[in-house]
Amino acid sequence: MNNQISVLRLTLVVALGGLLFGYDTAVISGATEALQNYFDLTSTELGFAASSALIGCVLGALISGETSAKYGRRGALFIAALLFLISAIGSAIPQNYWTFVIYRIIGGVGVGIASMVSPMYIAEVAPPKKRGGLVACNQFAIIFGMLVVYFVNYGIALLGTEQWLNQTGWRYMFASETIPAGLFLVLLFFIPETPRWLVMKGRNDEAHALLQSLSPGDNIEGQWQEIKASLTHHSSPSIMAAGLMGVLVIGIMLSVLQQVTGINVFLYYAPTILKGFSSSSIDLALLQTILVGAVNLSFTAVAIFTVDKFGRRPLMMLGSFLMAISMIAIGTAAYMDAIGGYLLIFVLLYIAAFALSLGPVVWVLLSEIFPNHIRSKALSIAVFAQWAANFVVSQTFPMMNDHESTIYQAFNGGFPFWLYGIMGLFTVYFIYRWVPETKGLSLEQLESLWHKKETRVPQHTSLHLK
């Protein structure tokens, strides 16, 4: 088996964790009305039912670092798969509201773990020249999982009457997740641990043999010595060690900026926003939402094939700039009361730019910039920050977009879009100023950067580390 096929096989299996990430977070979208009718929920209770998984996501992100360090990357993915399976079954059979919420939180913990461990696993087995595209496959799987569940929910809704959907059909929606979750759990038995985790645990013979099998016919001795040196010289996984706080701050900032540029506003509230752009019906708004998802998926695929060719920095800076321009244009149109269907162009431009840049490439960078001996803990902190920022943006947008709010009345609805646009421009500057180009470098070569005495990162050229 050659290198590309072997690593691709591992990537496809582990990316199922990303697919379940998307599937689990989006499955409730087709069941909200049925849940409200079945459990007789208030709007507050329904909102908590829909967002309760985020609590689990935060918890999962917090424990993912320690879990993946102690039980291994594959072991952590096993735990996530089990949680997905338990949540799918439990969410489908509850007789009361709080039981449903508890199982949704359990699924959220699985999402939190998978969102951190899946890209980290792929980065640790991928060859440097293909690492960006392979890690970006995980983001593609997340979006694909969302699209799949939209169609699954639609198909289930067609199986019976509205009364059947309110009483029984919604259970099938949540139960449908048992299929990808069960498949993920079974396939994990057929993938190995990562070489770097095996070295961390002193299992050098296994690690060397695995590294060679991932690169058949290549001389791996140079890379092998780099991996051993990286993990042998740093027995204490202290993030506070000299020179490492800088990279942690960069990782946290990348995570937060991915969210505060407004992506989940469109992913979570697209029908409401798009319906407000014109006099179109909600059905047309839903159709436009599917178009948003299709553009998201398509340009993520473009990122997979370009991130290792053009590099991380160019894609991130171009994408962030186009996102900013789109948001500022939408906000200005709202402020000037020039809302119209033409704004769909700017929405799609924003989505395309995100899918080409901050969507997949942030995950690529997070999976590769942290040194081996702190990767699991540092990545856990960065992903925690990402979920926290996700929660803040998702909660504050409806408040800023409330027609009765002072902010809405002062800026005629343009303020939140301007705010996200400004964050997009700041992202361009932040990447230009602080984020290095990592294309084609091994994880160990990248690690040597953060142990240099000078913390300033070159902005204009790729790093050529020896």
Side-chain angles (χ1 to χ4, degrees):
M1 181 181 295
N2 63 46
N3 180 36
Q4 184 176 5
I5 295 176
S6 176
V7 175
L8 180 60
R9 176 176 62 83
L10 298 181
T11 299
L12 292 176
V13 171
V14 174
L16 272 175
L19 185 145
L20 282 160
F21 172 168
Y23 200 105
D24 191 87
T25 53
V27 65
I28 199 169
S29 64
T32 51
E33 185 176 347
L35 288 170
Q36 187 166 25
N37 291 326
Y38 185 84
F39 292 118
D40 191 23
L41 303 179
T42 65
S43 58
T44 301
E45 289 172 330
L46 179 62
F48 186 68
S51 63
S52 56
L54 281 176
I55 298 173
C57 292
V58 172
L59 293 174
L62 281 175
I63 67 172
S64 59
E66 188 64 32
T67 301
S68 61
K70 183 176 182 180
Y71 300 108
R73 289 33 169 159
R74 188 180 73 151
L77 290 174
F78 264 118
I79 294 172
L82 283 171
L83 293 174
F84 283 130
L85 193 58
I86 292 169
S87 175
I89 296 171
S91 299
I93 62 173
Q95 297 302 314
N96 63 76
Y97 169 73
W98 286 107
T99 301
F100 174 81
V101 167
I102 289 171
Y103 280 108
R104 287 296 294 157
I105 292 175
I106 290 173
V109 175
V111 170
I113 294 174
S115 66
M116 189 279 269
V117 181
S118 290
M120 180 170 64
Y121 181 102
I122 296 170
E124 290 191 352
V125 300
K129 292 182 179 179
K130 300 180 185 221
R131 187 175 59 240
L134 291 172
V135 174
C137 286
N138 190 67
Q139 177 71 11
F140 182 89
I142 293 171
I143 300 164
F144 185 69
M146 290 180 176
L147 286 179
V148 167
V149 79
Y150 291 151
F151 285 105
V152 169
N153 284 348
Y154 180 70
I156 291 172
L158 295 178
L159 293 177
T161 64
E162 184 176 349
Q163 182 179 3
W164 172 83
L165 181 63
N166 289 337
Q167 291 298 315
T168 306
W170 64 269
R171 298 182 184 274
Y172 287 85
M173 294 180 179
F174 292 100
S176 67
E177 191 178 343
T178 59
I179 297 174
L183 179 63
F184 185 41
L185 184 63
V186 170
L187 291 177
L188 285 174
F189 282 98
F190 299 96
I191 70 170
E193 259 302 344
T194 71
R196 290 166 176 86
W197 184 82
L198 291 172
V199 173
M200 287 175 61
K201 296 302 178 182
R203 294 158 61 177
N204 288 3
D205 291 342
E206 291 178 62
H208 187 274
L210 176 58
L211 192 66
Q212 185 64 73
S213 70
L214 292 172
S215 305
D218 295 343
N219 185 348
I220 63 163
E221 292 311 311
Q223 184 182 12
W224 172 245
Q225 293 303 323
E226 288 180 347
I227 292 174
K228 284 204 305 179
S230 166
L231 292 165
T232 302
H233 295 164
H234 305 285
S235 57
S236 176
S238 173
I239 298 176
M240 299 299 292
L244 297 184
M245 281 304 296
V247 64
L248 179 61
V249 170
I250 289 175
I252 291 173
M253 286 297 295
L254 286 172
S255 288
V256 171
L257 289 171
Q258 186 195 57
Q259 298 300 313
V260 298
T261 45
I263 182 58
N264 282 317
V265 166
F266 285 120
L267 295 184
Y268 295 167
Y269 302 106
T272 302
I273 294 172
L274 293 170
K275 188 172 186 296
F277 285 167
S278 67
S279 59
S280 62
S281 66
I282 189 64
D283 289 341
L284 181 56
L286 288 172
L287 182 62
Q288 291 171 337
T289 302
I290 293 175
L291 181 60
V292 166
V295 169
N296 198 353
L297 191 71
S298 300
F299 278 85
T300 301
V302 174
I304 291 173
F305 293 104
T306 57
V307 67
D308 286 315
K309 181 178 181 180
F310 300 120
R312 285 59 158 155
R313 279 166 49 84
L315 290 183
M316 293 271 282
M317 293 174 66
L318 174 63
S320 299
F321 179 75
L322 292 176
M323 289 166 63
I325 294 300
S326 301
M327 280 295 195
I328 292 171
I330 293 171
T332 302
Y335 180 74
M336 299 178 65
D337 201 19
I339 293 296
Y342 72 94
L343 288 179
L344 180 61
I345 296 173
F346 288 105
V347 173
L348 296 180
L349 176 61
Y350 173 90
I351 295 295
F354 176 84
L356 189 64
S357 59
L358 295 190
V361 183
V362 163
W363 285 110
V364 171
L365 284 166
L366 290 177
S367 69
E368 63 188 8
I369 63 174
F370 297 120
N372 285 329
H373 62 291
I374 66 160
R375 181 171 297 118
S376 59
K377 291 186 177 181
L379 189 51
S380 175
I381 294 171
V383 173
F384 167 78
Q386 189 171 121
W387 283 111
N390 180 332
F391 179 80
V392 170
V393 171
S394 301
Q395 292 298 308
T396 55
F397 174 75
M399 297 163 60
M400 292 188 290
N401 202 46
D402 184 349
H403 290 208
E404 302 300 321
S405 70
T406 302
I407 291 178
Y408 185 92
Q409 293 176 0
F411 297 96
N412 202 28
F415 179 80
F417 301 102
W418 283 342
L419 178 62
Y420 305 141
I422 291 171
M423 289 296 99
L425 293 176
F426 175 75
T427 302
V428 175
Y429 171 76
F430 179 81
I431 294 166
Y432 174 81
R433 179 69 175 80
W434 292 110
V435 179
E437 181 55 72
T438 60
K439 179 183 71 171
L441 300 172
S442 73
L443 297 178
E444 288 67 39
Q445 287 175 317
L446 288 171
E447 179 173 338
S448 68
L449 169 68
W450 311 116
H451 291 289
K452 290 181 178 180
K453 292 183 179 180
E454 293 185 6
T455 58
R456 183 184 175 103
V457 175
Q459 293 108 31
H460 306 291
T461 60
S462 298
L463 298 174
H464 298 287
L465 304 176
K466 296 183 180 179

